[in-house]
Amino acid sequence: MTHYVIYDGNCNLCSTLVQLLEKLDQGKQFQYAPMQDQATLEQFGITSQDCEKGMLLINANVPQQRWQGSDAAEEIGRLLPLGEVFINAYRAMPGVKWGGDRLYVQVRDNRYAWFGRRSSLYESAYPICNTDACRK
């Protein structure tokens, strides 16, 4: 099953985490597009206001099934090998999910100040490709 990750391609932290995920997954489960790719956003009915709420994860088979922000990060973790065990434990500990959600918001809102802004847009080696023309 493929999932699409919409991330901030100008954010150093976001781009570094996408690069790590690319190395772990090698395009098997995840394809990526930066939030700055207007054509891809339009294709999925995503607005710039939606992007302000954080990264998005979209189920490629059922595009209406989406996760955003810390929920997207958790779902990505769950989909990785052995990830479900860790995510279930994280969600089961009282107050930890609540704290994680608040931490995500703080990082999201301060990402450029804390981690810097890239001088050029990071574009993944595994871009979102859902047409026959781009699969060839």
Side-chain angles (χ1 to χ4, degrees):
M1 181 185 307
T2 300
H3 287 82
Y4 301 141
V5 178
I6 310 293
Y7 64 97
D8 184 348
N10 289 328
C11 168
N12 280 330
L13 175 65
C14 308
S15 299
T16 299
L17 292 174
V18 165
Q19 290 171 34
L20 176 63
L21 191 53
E22 288 171 328
K23 286 180 184 169
L24 290 171
D25 180 62
Q26 298 181 348
K28 293 181 181 107
Q29 291 188 81
F30 302 104
Q31 294 175 358
Y32 311 85
M35 292 176 176
Q36 294 77 14
D37 179 349
Q38 196 60 42
T40 298
L41 296 183
E42 288 174 8
Q43 177 181 350
F44 292 106
I46 299 169
T47 67
S48 57
Q49 291 82 11
D50 294 329
C51 293
E52 290 174 15
K53 298 174 188 168
M55 66 184 272
L56 289 117
L57 179 67
I58 301 170
N59 181 331
N61 296 325
V62 185
Q64 301 81 357
Q65 185 178 29
R66 299 173 181 201
W67 299 262
Q68 188 156 25
S70 62
D71 292 334
E74 289 173 26
E75 187 63 16
I76 289 168
R78 192 187 70 75
L79 292 167
L80 292 172
L82 300 175
E84 189 163 10
V85 171
F86 293 104
I87 296 301
N88 287 342
Y90 165 82
R91 289 176 177 162
M93 290 187 280
V96 175
K97 167 120 174 75
W98 178 88
D101 291 347
R102 269 104 202 117
L103 177 61
Y104 181 91
V105 168
Q106 289 300 308
V107 171
R108 178 198 69 199
D109 292 348
N110 295 288
R111 65 189 179 275
Y112 296 137
W114 294 352
F115 302 101
R117 187 179 182 107
R118 294 177 52 88
S119 59
S120 63
L121 183 70
Y122 178 74
E123 297 195 49
S124 173
Y126 304 99
I128 291 176
C129 177
N130 58 4
T131 66
D132 290 334
C134 69
R135 286 187 189 111
K136 295 178 182 179

